[in-house]
Amino acid sequence: MGVKAGPPELQVLKTLAMLWLGTVTLTYLLWQVPRLSTWGQLHPEEGPSRSQGRDSSLTWEPLEGETMQQQPDSCQLVLVESIPQDLRFAAGSPSAQPLAQAWLQLLDTARESIHMASFYWSLTGPDIGVNDSSSQLGESLLQKLQDLLDRNVSLAVATSHPTLARNSTDLQVLATRGAQVRHVPMGKLTRGVLHSKFWVVDGRHVYMGSANMDWRSLTQVKELGAIIYNCSRLARDLEKTFQTYWVLGAPKAVLPRHWPRNFSSHINRFQPLKARFAGVPTTAYFSASPPVLCPRGRTWDLSALLAVMAEARRFIYVSVMEYFPTTRFSRPARYWPVLDNALRAAAFSRGVQVRLLVSCGLNTDPSMFPYLRSLQALSNPKAGVSVDVKVFIVPVGNHSNIPFSRVNHSKFMVTEKAAYIGTSNWSEDYFSSTSGVGLVVSQRNSSTQPGVATVQEQLRRLFERDWSSRYAVGLDGQAQGQDCVWQG
């Protein structure tokens, strides 16, 4: 037998009903967002819905232009790298496509739109007050972008605010030709920076890797990345991450409590893209950081790294500029051994061979080296525990006039099963507050493509080239000259 509700109870029920109805209405509105946009120019007057609070929704922003004819995917992945001038490997050593050449070739494919996420821009020598012939490749790239704008190829750039390149005029030059630029206030939004480095071209091709939009990345800094051609499913998935930056670069934008549905990803760690890349069976997905910039379905970058480590059974090779099992930019610093513990567990519990190659240059923080020595101290060959750490030193030579250069800036990991290429250094802040992206690719040998090296095999060869080179020095060795703050 039911109990009849009196006036107070009836009022409560009415209130609950109104709250329920409001929740249903708000949920419906949040999910009724325009579908994936066409590609092209964004007109300045077409701003996003102005979010007034953290609970407000964001709207996917159409970047208008002619809709490209859909073509069947024929995905192809090419590893690209930048080798600093006067850094010479042994004859016959493995190599990847030169980054400057690859970037210019990728721009040659552009017919309609280029979307770039970048930490900062500094493509000319005068940007940093340097007169050096090695800046010419960056200046050629800037000119190429201007030429494309003149041919009505649209350019949208999301970059970090504030910026390291305070004197650079690159983005102003491009804006005068019609480029759309948004400065994303990541410091205010997440207490980090926009550290991502990737391009989406015509919704079909992508570049991502360690290189900034800086002429030094082409000639003075060691970089590694990947270009994926003719792969619209991956390109449009990475575009969703670009859109998270783009809408947050609008005036008064705030982080949403929940990202609308069309920012969600259906390609992730649990459901990677499965395709043939140039005939080779491949799985691939993009990850992102920090978690607040991971809409539903997007794998967090840290989770991607840990998953690749957990699946390794033979080896884990890591090349990264900085390695700190702590925070780097918050004070006081906090201990954060997540990645460090994963490497130790792999070596100790599963007998995985671990090799860590860390950069050292004139601007390296020497407080990193006790952590590296601690990691290597775990190694015990008699017990089957193999952990080895080396320091990669790019000699300064006659390039001392160029600041913040001559370092190994690469950020990648390879196992016998997968390749990970990222944009983040290995410390807590890069995964909790700073934006970054990662690419996880796994290929298996194809019976129809005998003799074709998988991407993880190609990346392993590049790592071993660096590891065995004269520029890689063990922690018990001696640093070369005065080009590195570390001393053995």
Side-chain angles (χ1 to χ4, degrees):
M1 181 176 175
V3 179
K4 186 176 181 181
E9 292 86 350
L10 183 61
Q11 185 63 39
V12 169
L13 290 174
K14 286 181 179 179
T15 301
L16 290 173
M18 291 298 292
L19 288 172
W20 176 84
L21 180 61
T23 300
V24 170
T25 303
L26 178 60
T27 301
Y28 176 80
L29 291 173
L30 281 171
W31 287 77
Q32 298 304 306
V33 186
R35 295 199 175 274
L36 186 66
S37 66
T38 56
W39 303 84
Q41 185 84 15
L42 179 83
H43 296 289
E45 64 272 15
E46 293 177 348
S49 301
R50 299 298 174 86
S51 301
Q52 299 301 321
R54 189 174 170 83
D55 291 324
S56 301
S57 65
L58 292 174
T59 302
W60 183 282
E61 293 209 17
L63 298 177
E64 293 190 347
E66 295 179 4
T67 302
M68 297 196 65
Q69 294 295 320
Q70 289 299 310
Q71 305 170 29
D73 279 355
S74 55
C75 305
Q76 179 182 7
L77 186 148
V78 178
L79 293 178
V80 298
E81 67 176 350
S82 180
I83 303 297
Q85 289 182 351
D86 301 323
L87 190 78
R88 296 181 177 89
F89 293 108
S93 295
S95 63
Q97 184 178 7
L99 177 64
Q101 178 189 89
W103 274 1
L104 291 172
Q105 288 180 356
L106 180 55
L107 292 179
D108 282 337
T109 70
R111 297 293 178 268
E112 188 173 325
S113 67
I114 304 163
H115 298 171
M116 292 181 167
S118 57
F119 181 24
Y120 67 92
W121 285 64
S122 185
L123 289 176
T124 73
D127 285 344
I128 58 171
V130 169
N131 181 16
D132 192 280
S133 61
S134 64
S135 69
Q136 291 176 0
L137 283 176
E139 289 152 9
S140 296
L141 181 66
L142 183 62
Q143 184 59 55
K144 180 77 170 180
L145 291 169
Q146 294 177 68
D147 295 342
L148 287 168
L149 286 164
D150 291 343
R151 288 170 24 210
N152 293 323
V153 174
S154 68
L155 173 62
V157 175
T159 190
S160 193
H161 176 78
T163 178
L164 294 177
R166 296 181 180 88
N167 297 322
S168 175
T169 60
D170 298 354
L171 291 175
Q172 294 95 308
V173 167
L174 294 173
T176 62
R177 301 290 185 101
Q180 300 297 309
V181 179
R182 288 196 176 174
H183 302 270
V184 186
M186 292 294 292
K188 182 179 72 173
L189 295 169
T190 68
R191 298 184 179 180
V193 297
L194 195 159
H195 196 251
S196 304
K197 311 132 193 325
F198 67 82
W199 308 1
V200 181
V201 177
D202 289 344
R204 288 193 61 77
H205 320 293
V206 303
Y207 160 79
M208 67 83 56
S210 62
N212 291 304
M213 297 302 294
D214 186 328
W215 62 270
R216 290 166 289 191
S217 295
L218 303 177
T219 56
Q220 297 294 335
V221 175
K222 191 172 181 297
E223 310 277 9
L224 186 126
I227 292 179
I228 302 177
Y229 291 101
N230 300 310
C231 206
S232 63
R233 285 174 290 175
L234 277 182
R236 290 181 178 271
D237 186 64
L238 188 58
E239 170 68 15
K240 293 179 179 182
T241 293
F242 177 84
Q243 279 281 341
T244 63
Y245 308 153
W246 191 253
V247 297
L248 292 176
K252 300 182 181 179
V254 298
L255 283 168
R257 188 175 297 276
H258 301 290
W259 287 95
R261 180 172 58 182
N262 54 359
F263 290 84
S264 299
S265 174
H266 302 288
I267 300 174
N268 50 47
R269 172 189 164 195
F270 301 103
Q271 293 180 308
L273 172 74
K274 295 180 180 180
R276 285 185 174 269
F277 281 36
V280 179
T282 303
T283 62
Y285 68 91
F286 288 110
S287 55
S289 286
V292 293
L293 295 186
C294 290
R296 183 173 181 173
R298 177 70 62 201
T299 298
W300 182 23
D301 206 18
L302 179 62
S303 297
L305 275 169
L306 293 173
V308 171
M309 287 186 192
E311 291 169 1
R313 293 297 178 268
R314 290 175 47 209
F315 66 86
I316 298 173
Y317 296 164
V318 179
S319 180
V320 69
M321 189 180 82
E322 284 192 345
Y323 181 92
F324 279 86
T326 65
T327 57
R328 285 286 285 135
F329 308 112
S330 60
R331 295 292 181 270
R334 297 186 303 275
Y335 187 51
W336 184 80
V338 177
L339 293 171
D340 197 64
N341 284 346
L343 290 178
R344 292 170 185 266
F348 188 88
S349 301
R350 304 197 305 275
V352 176
Q353 180 191 43
V354 173
R355 287 179 172 177
L356 176 62
L357 186 62
V358 179
S359 180
C360 185
L362 296 175
N363 300 110
T364 297
D365 184 344
S367 67
M368 173 173 64
F369 294 98
Y371 302 119
L372 300 179
R373 293 190 180 94
S374 171
L375 180 61
Q376 181 159 287
L378 182 70
S379 194
N380 184 354
K382 291 182 179 179
V385 180
S386 177
V387 181
D388 202 3
V389 180
K390 285 187 177 182
V391 171
F392 193 94
I393 303 169
V394 178
V396 172
N398 61 0
H399 305 281
S400 58
N401 62 314
I402 303 172
F404 297 101
S405 64
R406 315 305 292 179
V407 294
N408 181 7
H409 194 238
S410 303
K411 305 146 195 325
F412 70 84
M413 175 173 66
V414 62
T415 74
E416 77 279 4
K417 294 183 178 179
Y420 169 89
I421 299 171
T423 66
S424 296
N425 293 306
W426 283 24
S427 63
E428 190 262 359
D429 316 74
Y430 285 94
F431 302 97
S432 65
S433 58
T434 286
S435 83
V437 294
L439 169 65
V440 178
V441 183
S442 180
Q443 294 186 323
R444 55 186 174 85
N445 293 316
S446 170
S447 58
T448 62
Q449 298 284 329
V452 175
T454 63
V455 66
Q456 58 265 32
E457 176 65 15
Q458 295 175 52
L459 197 55
R460 180 188 67 81
R461 292 173 184 173
L462 293 177
F463 178 90
E464 290 181 337
R465 175 202 65 189
D466 294 349
W467 183 265
S468 61
S469 73
R470 61 191 179 96
Y471 308 109
V473 183
L475 290 179
D476 56 352
Q478 292 294 321
Q480 300 177 13
Q482 300 301 313
D483 297 346
C484 174
V485 296
W486 162 79
Q487 295 294 325

